[in-house]
Amino acid sequence: MNVTIELAEDLCEKARHVATDHGLSLSSLIADLLIRELDEKAARPAGLLASLSLKEGEDREFEIPRNRSLSRKLDF
């Protein structure tokens, strides 16, 4: 599907350089970033912050599952 987006010129140039450095097209880079971001958001428990209800001085540990198979190190 073709989608037109508007990016600031400096952001677009940085993204193009990152894509080239990783052997990707700009479209592929943006698609990969969107997939990773959407998968991470879907993996986060709904209402996590509201459900914590921590009292002052109380600690609680929890783990957020992440899909590491889509992870790429991208330096902008």
Side-chain angles (χ1 to χ4, degrees):
M1 173 185 290
N2 289 326
V3 176
T4 301
I5 60 170
E6 189 172 320
L7 299 173
E9 190 172 330
D10 60 329
L11 176 60
C12 187
E13 286 302 314
K14 287 179 185 178
R16 283 186 194 278
H17 287 292
V18 170
T20 301
D21 291 346
H22 289 84
L24 299 169
S25 67
L26 182 57
S27 293
S28 294
L29 174 70
I30 292 171
D32 287 353
L33 292 170
L34 282 170
I35 289 167
R36 186 174 63 198
E37 180 65 18
L38 294 172
D39 282 351
E40 286 180 8
K41 285 191 185 221
R44 294 178 194 145
L48 179 63
L49 293 178
S51 68
L52 289 177
S53 305
L54 295 177
K55 296 177 184 170
E56 189 172 333
E58 182 182 11
D59 291 328
R60 191 172 295 175
E61 292 184 13
F62 57 93
E63 183 175 320
I64 299 174
R66 300 194 185 271
N67 185 344
R68 298 282 182 203
S69 67
L70 297 174
S71 295
R72 282 195 175 140
K73 183 172 187 210
L74 301 175
D75 297 317
F76 285 97

